[in-house]
Amino acid sequence: MNEGLNEREYHQLTERIRTAIWDKLDPLEERIEDEERIPYDIVLPVLREAGAFGLLVPREYGGSGLSIRQYLPLIAEFAKIQGGIRVIVHVHNSFAHALSEIGDEVQRKSVLPGAATGEKSVAFALTEPGHGTGADLGTTATRTDSGYLLNGTKWLITNSDLASHFIVFAKTSSEQVSAFLVPRNTAGLSIEPLPETMGCKGGEHGILTFDDVRVEESGLVGAEGEGQQHLERALEISRVFIAASSLGTSERALELSLAHARSRVTFGKPIAQRQAVQRYLAEMAIDVYALRGMLADAAAKWDAGARIPAESAMVKQFGLEAVGRVTDRALLVHGGIGYTRKHPIERLYRDAWLNWLEEGTPTIQYMVAARELLSGYRFHDSIDRMV
């Protein structure tokens, strides 16, 4: 569990990150949207210099070791600019964090120092064509004298063009899922791109094919059959990160809508004076306020060492619904000009829809929340600890 930076260190890091975001990365939006390609020769050095790759890497491995409470405002800030950049930062930090929790010391030492600087990066290889979610896998890992042979196909693997390592989930028996740390250059592993996405342009979500990929015993993460619990832990907190991304997009859409409402004049007065527009703005602010509170609760519990299966599913679900409502209303406040690329609203609207799909669709979030509640999980117990 990361304990975070002291106030002075955190302020300095925050200023570096925000300067990088608004002075160096935000101006690239038009280029990335036009070319549907992120200029890595510009973006990656900026992220490295700002310290964006090591945010959740523990300090003993060279990272900042942020607490979740400290990390959420930063990933929210990235979600205000071009979405492909946010995806790079989110996936890199989410699964470096996952490896720091589920990997052994040898695995951590081999990857995390490089992850802290951006020289290495971890991606999550779970989703498959022809299969569903979680334990519904077709990829197999067959035990050999020296380790395992992996066979199967993954797709929609984000950061597949950047990752130096993949946490791969495969069946080690008909009932068991296990996790493996697989280097990118392993023989038998091939990677190819998928077509460009609707939003969050420039990020890569590729296809990984495993053809008798040999993984040594040391590549097994934890023990055989522990893959499902590793999967659940990694996605549990990453869902909170997605909700924080929804918050950042929502905050930016509200900021732009307030500015537009004040400056746009019709029939001799700003549209901010019109009751219908005021209602849109108030509804947007209500969603932002509620989402901030849910995120603060989830972060406080995780940083205290608690598991948050129900909270993470609920905040992820509320976040994606909230950002949908907020960007809908932002478009209404801006009117027809908001539907053009003259304003960032059009891009924020498209970028927000990736949040519906990352780390599980809405049906998954409802299923997880209901399962936990029906099993007797009491997510409201923490109220007593907060007052």
Side-chain angles (χ1 to χ4, degrees):
M1 181 174 64
N2 292 341
E3 296 182 357
L5 300 179
N6 64 41
E7 186 175 347
R8 180 185 60 83
E9 293 171 324
Y10 183 62
H11 175 74
Q12 292 173 340
L13 174 63
T14 298
E15 288 303 304
R16 286 203 311 273
I17 293 288
R18 287 181 174 156
T19 297
I21 287 173
W22 295 108
D23 292 355
K24 299 178 180 179
L25 298 175
D26 184 53
L28 297 172
E29 176 180 334
E30 184 174 358
R31 174 178 173 179
I32 295 171
E33 295 293 312
D34 285 346
E35 298 178 0
E36 299 193 346
R37 183 184 65 83
I38 293 174
Y40 289 139
D41 59 325
I42 299 173
V43 170
L44 298 185
V46 169
L47 294 175
R48 289 190 185 107
E49 184 178 356
F53 287 124
L55 297 176
L56 290 179
V57 175
R59 301 186 78 170
E60 60 263 38
Y61 302 106
S64 294
L66 296 186
S67 66
I68 300 305
R69 177 186 62 82
Q70 291 176 329
Y71 176 69
L72 296 186
L74 298 181
I75 195 62
E77 198 73 9
F78 274 105
K80 296 179 181 181
I81 62 167
Q82 201 280 327
I85 298 173
R86 191 275 304 177
V87 168
I88 292 173
V89 176
H90 161 66
V91 170
H92 176 95
N93 279 283
S94 291
F95 300 113
H97 178 261
L99 185 64
S100 76
E101 293 199 323
I102 65 177
D104 62 29
E105 185 61 14
V106 173
Q107 292 164 345
R108 291 194 295 265
K109 284 184 175 179
S110 70
V111 176
L112 293 181
T117 63
E119 295 172 9
K120 294 181 179 180
S121 188
V122 182
F124 203 62
L126 173 65
T127 307
E128 300 183 3
H131 291 271
T133 189
D136 183 20
L137 299 174
T139 300
T140 59
T142 305
R143 180 173 278 280
T144 67
D145 291 339
S146 59
Y148 298 85
L149 277 182
L150 268 61
N151 284 280
T153 302
K154 306 286 185 178
W155 72 349
L156 298 169
I157 307 307
T158 308
N159 282 11
S160 59
D161 55 340
L162 292 174
S164 62
H165 293 75
F166 298 93
I167 299 177
V168 181
F169 293 84
K171 286 287 188 72
T172 40
S173 73
S174 60
E175 303 297 327
Q176 286 189 337
V177 175
S178 301
F180 300 88
L181 184 64
V182 181
R184 179 187 191 89
N185 59 2
T186 304
L189 170 57
S190 60
I191 305 171
E192 57 184 303
L194 280 168
E196 191 52 71
T197 52
M198 178 176 75
C200 298
K201 297 287 188 179
E204 183 57 70
H205 312 272
I207 301 173
L208 275 58
T209 302
F210 299 86
D211 184 8
D212 281 344
V213 171
R214 294 185 178 276
V215 179
E216 295 181 0
E217 187 80 32
S218 60
L220 179 66
V221 180
E224 274 195 20
E226 291 183 350
Q228 186 66 29
Q229 67 189 62
H230 293 332
L231 166 65
E232 290 174 358
R233 185 173 182 88
L235 292 183
E236 190 171 301
I237 191 59
S238 190
R239 285 170 178 152
V240 178
F241 303 157
I242 296 297
S245 299
S246 293
L247 174 63
T249 301
S250 297
E251 288 176 334
R252 183 63 174 151
L254 176 57
E255 292 165 4
L256 292 169
S257 297
L258 287 166
H260 184 77
R262 293 186 182 108
S263 63
R264 171 71 168 141
V265 175
T266 63
F267 296 94
K269 63 180 181 180
I271 63 172
Q273 297 182 22
R274 304 191 183 282
Q275 193 172 39
V277 172
Q278 290 175 356
R279 174 160 182 164
Y280 289 149
L281 296 171
E283 289 174 336
M284 295 163 73
I286 290 168
D287 271 327
V288 167
Y289 183 50
L291 183 51
R292 283 177 182 167
M294 293 180 73
L295 283 164
D297 175 68
K301 291 174 182 175
W302 186 276
D303 285 338
R307 291 294 298 269
I308 52 171
E311 290 92 335
S312 69
M314 290 187 289
V315 71
K316 199 267 186 179
Q317 182 61 30
F318 181 81
L320 63 87
E321 292 175 356
V323 75
R325 288 189 294 264
V326 169
T327 52
D328 278 347
R329 283 157 179 72
L331 190 58
L332 292 172
V333 170
H334 281 77
I337 200 65
Y339 196 62
T340 73
R341 286 183 55 188
K342 180 177 175 61
H343 289 284
I345 292 299
E346 177 268 347
R347 193 263 308 160
L348 289 168
Y349 193 97
R350 287 184 290 105
D351 285 352
W353 280 91
L354 182 57
N355 297 11
W356 290 70
L357 305 172
E358 290 181 290
E359 273 73 304
T361 59
T363 52
I364 297 298
Q365 310 313 320
Y366 288 127
M367 180 193 73
V368 171
R371 179 192 68 199
E372 295 300 321
L373 295 171
L374 290 169
S375 70
Y377 182 81
R378 294 172 59 83
F379 71 91
H380 55 282
D381 281 350
S382 64
I383 292 175
D384 292 337
R385 298 195 297 270
M386 294 169 63
V387 297

